Amino acid sequence: TFGVPTTRWPAERDRVRRLLQEKGYQRVLGRPLVFVFGVDLAQPEVARRWTELRASLRSASLDPYCVFMGWDPAKDFAAHATQGFAAVSAYAHPGSEPSFTRYVEAFERHAWDSAQRTRTPYVPLVTTGWDKRPRQDHPVSWEKGAAYLSQPTFPAPATPTEIAEHLSRALAFVDSHPETCPARTVILYAWNEHDEGGWLCPTWTPTGRPDQQRLEAIRKVLKP
């Protein structure tokens, strides 16, 4: 959104406003929910566009619940709370622990517990994995020089049960800490990031049938 050419920016700004006005758009606390990731607000032009977008949304009587997607809850919120962000979260969590269970336990301590301890408004990330070996074999242009390119070990693929247990803990965390999670929501990474290790999208079984075990596992948590 913020990286479009100058001539396209007004149309992109207006497109975002229209999206937030759609009837079925996700809302929390009565406000459109907006996650912002990969945006460097220290760049003057990006900061200008962000300010302009917020003004455009206010003129349309929109007050989005903006969540900054970073890496360290307390530091991220301290840096961005004055820029219109109501809370922080994360897009993903890198890790090298071979066990998926231990990988997410370490992440929960790093992010969830630290957000609660520092009273940081937070939307818990529920991660479904982190295995970027496909990108080691087939590098992408926008991640040249990334640390994962030389990483020897990644977490094992998550089982449906492990994902469901991680999600259950996230929902319990939200229920137990309303002051930390006022939006009462979580975000799952990801639908189809197959080459980053996290996915919920059905895959093929050896028999040629869709493998929906991950979706079935989270369905049982969300609608027991």
Side-chain angles (χ1 to χ4, degrees):
T1 293
F2 296 104
V4 299
T6 302
T7 55
R8 285 180 52 195
W9 164 244
E12 183 66 7
R13 176 201 60 210
D14 295 345
R15 184 184 73 88
V16 172
R17 186 178 64 239
R18 289 194 301 272
L19 285 173
L20 270 61
Q21 290 174 317
E22 290 185 356
K23 184 177 180 180
Y25 191 91
Q26 178 69 49
R27 290 174 173 265
V28 295
L29 303 176
R31 303 161 64 182
L33 176 61
V34 176
F35 289 99
V36 179
F37 173 68
V39 174
D40 185 1
L41 293 172
Q43 296 184 22
E45 180 59 16
V46 174
R48 186 194 70 77
R49 291 184 179 189
W50 173 244
T51 299
E52 184 180 321
L53 174 61
R54 292 176 61 203
S56 175
L57 297 177
R58 285 195 298 270
S59 70
S61 299
L62 292 169
D63 179 24
Y65 190 90
C66 296
V67 182
F68 183 85
M69 307 287 274
W71 308 104
D72 185 299
K75 290 182 179 179
D76 292 332
F77 191 68
H80 299 289
T82 60
Q83 296 169 320
F85 291 94
V88 295
S89 187
Y91 167 73
H93 179 64
S96 58
E97 167 59 60
S99 162
F100 178 83
T101 296
R102 292 184 180 179
Y103 156 71
V104 294
E105 286 175 349
F107 169 67
E108 290 170 19
R109 290 193 300 272
H110 163 75
W112 303 2
D113 292 350
S114 64
Q116 190 274 327
R117 186 174 61 255
T118 58
R119 299 187 178 185
T120 299
Y122 184 61
V123 173
L125 165 69
V126 176
T127 177
T128 55
W130 180 261
D131 184 350
K132 302 190 76 160
R133 286 176 294 178
R135 291 196 180 182
Q136 288 181 340
D137 297 336
H138 302 281
V140 293
S141 61
W142 59 90
E143 292 187 347
K144 290 182 178 179
Y148 77 80
L149 290 171
S150 59
Q151 184 173 328
T153 306
F154 292 90
T159 66
T161 297
E162 287 173 328
I163 293 172
E165 290 174 346
H166 184 32
L167 175 59
S168 294
R169 290 194 298 273
L171 299 179
F173 180 86
V174 169
D175 284 342
S176 300
H177 303 289
E179 73 290 347
T180 302
C181 307
R184 297 189 59 79
T185 191
V186 302
I187 183 168
L188 273 75
Y189 169 88
W191 172 245
N192 62 348
E193 290 285 8
H194 298 280
D195 65 345
E196 290 191 347
W199 77 91
L200 296 172
C201 177
T203 54
W204 293 114
T205 65
T207 62
R209 302 283 296 175
D211 182 353
Q212 301 181 153
Q213 293 182 79
R214 291 183 171 211
L215 286 177
E216 288 298 323
I218 67 170
R219 182 191 62 78
K220 291 177 181 178
V221 174
L222 297 176
K223 290 187 177 182

